[in-house]
Amino acid sequence: MPVYLIKPLLFTLCLLPTALLGWQFYADELGANPIEALTRGTGEWTLRLLLITLLMTPLKRITGWYWPIRVRRMLGLFAFYYACVHLMTYLWLDQFFDWDEIWLDILDRPFITVGMLGFVLLVPLALTSNRYAVRRLARNWKRLHRLAYVIPPLGVLHFWWLVKADIREPAIYAVLLGALLAVRSPEIRRRAAGKTAQQPAG
Ligand code: HEM
């Protein structure tokens, strides 16, 4: 499929959870606690999109396709978009903008502290994801964007600390994240490159 079709297709797919959650909220189909369901839904999509964004570079390396690099920024921005909706759901529908209560929550509940840290770190990435910032920041841009490897672990930790007994779901995200970070290790990349070189052509 040509790149000019892949990008709009992925754009539409990324908007689907918003449409679905929005519709379910409007139609009162989010169960007994719709605000919790909305917070959870947007939180999960933030984490999924962070991981999908991390997948793009290894996907390009393995397949040789160029489109994963062309859509990477868009996917990262969608992760930020879902993080904003997630945070707004919490601030508005859950806490009614009661700033004293919110501040106490950030200080008292470690899973909120870690989630907030993840969000705060996402902001400079989103603000500098344009060509102008890449040019202005030069080498510092790459340094800053290494935060993309710090934020998903914070997201997983946030999820892990939230669930009380059944850790299966955050554990799945932790394993996927571990694999995505492991394939970036220089040793694994060196071995993979060696294997490719040994394979006979054709
Ligand atoms: C990078 C940023 C973040 C990520 C990746 C993230 C991800 C998640 C995930 C995966 C869940 C669990 C969903 C489930 O139970 O199925 C969740 C729940 C939650 N998150 Fe976040 N989150 C982030 C930032 C924040 C921030 C900044 C806040 C608020 C200050 C927040 C507040 C919450 C709350 C209150 C819940 C629990 C909802 C409930 O069970 O009632 N999150 N988040």
Side-chain angles (χ1 to χ4, degrees):
M1 191 186 283
V3 178
Y4 69 86
L5 284 181
I6 292 176
K7 214 169 177 182
L9 180 74
L10 285 178
F11 187 92
T12 313
L13 283 177
C14 286
L15 281 177
L16 277 185
T18 305
L20 194 66
L21 284 169
W23 170 254
Q24 287 174 318
F25 189 69
Y26 171 77
D28 203 8
E29 282 174 7
L30 279 176
N33 192 340
I35 293 165
E36 185 184 282
L38 205 56
T39 318
R40 293 191 164 198
T42 50
E44 287 226 24
W45 277 105
T46 308
L47 192 52
R48 282 176 195 149
L49 279 158
L50 286 172
L51 297 191
I52 292 171
T53 309
L54 272 188
L55 174 69
M56 292 301 112
T57 304
L59 187 64
K60 191 238 162 198
R61 272 203 204 109
I62 292 163
T63 60
W65 297 332
Y66 197 67
W67 67 261
I69 302 304
R70 298 280 296 271
V71 299
R72 196 174 45 177
R73 178 174 58 175
M74 181 185 81
L75 294 171
L77 284 172
F78 263 113
F80 180 63
Y81 159 73
Y82 277 100
C84 290
V85 182
H86 183 58
L87 178 60
M88 276 313 285
T89 314
Y90 166 80
L91 296 178
W92 184 11
L93 303 178
D94 197 13
Q95 301 289 335
F96 307 106
F97 296 118
D98 181 341
W99 298 110
D100 291 340
E101 202 46 52
I102 291 164
W103 187 237
L104 277 182
D105 223 14
I106 293 173
L107 295 179
D108 282 353
R109 295 209 284 171
F111 96 91
I112 296 281
T113 319
V114 168
M116 201 62 206
L117 181 62
F119 181 80
V120 168
L121 296 180
L122 261 178
V123 174
L125 292 196
L127 292 179
T128 59
S129 69
N130 52 73
R131 273 187 214 153
Y132 175 73
V134 178
R135 242 180 296 128
R136 275 303 295 263
L137 293 173
R139 244 187 297 149
N140 288 329
W141 189 89
K142 265 206 152 174
R143 278 193 208 132
L144 177 66
H145 279 252
R146 288 205 192 112
L147 283 177
Y149 307 125
V150 178
I151 298 162
L154 291 174
V156 171
L157 194 60
H158 169 69
F159 194 179
W160 199 293
W161 281 350
L162 152 78
V163 295
K164 278 159 194 104
D166 188 354
I167 52 131
R168 270 177 301 177
E169 230 190 312
I172 292 172
Y173 284 109
V175 169
L176 292 175
L177 174 63
L180 285 171
L181 295 179
V183 292
R184 284 175 157 80
S185 88
E187 174 63 10
I188 288 183
R189 276 170 59 185
R190 198 174 51 77
R191 282 189 195 192
K195 270 209 175 140
T196 320
Q198 276 167 27
Q199 272 169 11

